[in-house]
Amino acid sequence: MNKLYAFCALVFLSACGSSGIDGSWSSVEDANIGIEIKGDEARLTAEGFSEICPVEGPDQDVYTLACDDGMSFIYLKLVDGNLKVVVNDEVKDFVRK
């Protein structure tokens, strides 16, 4: 019976669990730039700047952050354990903290 409970818990967590992009990320180029992702919310941070954006997706493994009341979009994709972030057609690499 315990195996049945463990199997059901695993199925539930796989279906409803957090995405692979959840966690704390920092820019490879500038460690002061970071992204904290928890579920359907992301906090972008830089020196003296912080903004919370909703996380949408994934759509074909690409997540979208709709920041500034939907006026600007940031695209995220997990590639080989690193987070590729596309902002204004520029690709930035982020690694887990």
Side-chain angles (χ1 to χ4, degrees):
M1 196 63 156
N2 287 337
K3 289 180 183 180
L4 177 62
Y5 289 131
F7 175 75
C8 290
L10 181 61
V11 169
F12 177 77
L13 291 174
S14 296
C16 302
S18 61
S19 66
I21 65 170
D22 277 8
S24 297
W25 300 88
S26 63
S27 171
V28 171
E29 296 172 5
D30 185 350
N32 293 319
I33 299 173
I35 302 174
E36 176 77 29
I37 303 170
K38 291 182 183 177
D40 62 352
E41 190 173 88
R43 177 181 296 275
L44 309 175
T45 56
E47 291 180 30
F49 170 82
S50 179
E51 182 176 4
I52 296 175
C53 304
V55 177
E56 300 171 1
D59 183 13
Q60 296 183 12
D61 296 330
V62 176
Y63 295 83
T64 304
L65 304 183
C67 300
D68 297 324
D69 298 322
M71 298 302 292
S72 65
F73 296 96
I74 299 170
Y75 302 99
L76 311 172
K77 183 171 183 172
L78 193 61
V79 178
D80 296 329
N82 294 328
L83 192 64
K84 298 284 185 182
V85 178
V86 180
V87 181
N88 299 327
D89 297 327
E90 189 175 337
V91 179
K92 305 276 187 182
D93 289 320
F94 281 69
V95 294
R96 289 194 191 270
K97 288 185 179 180

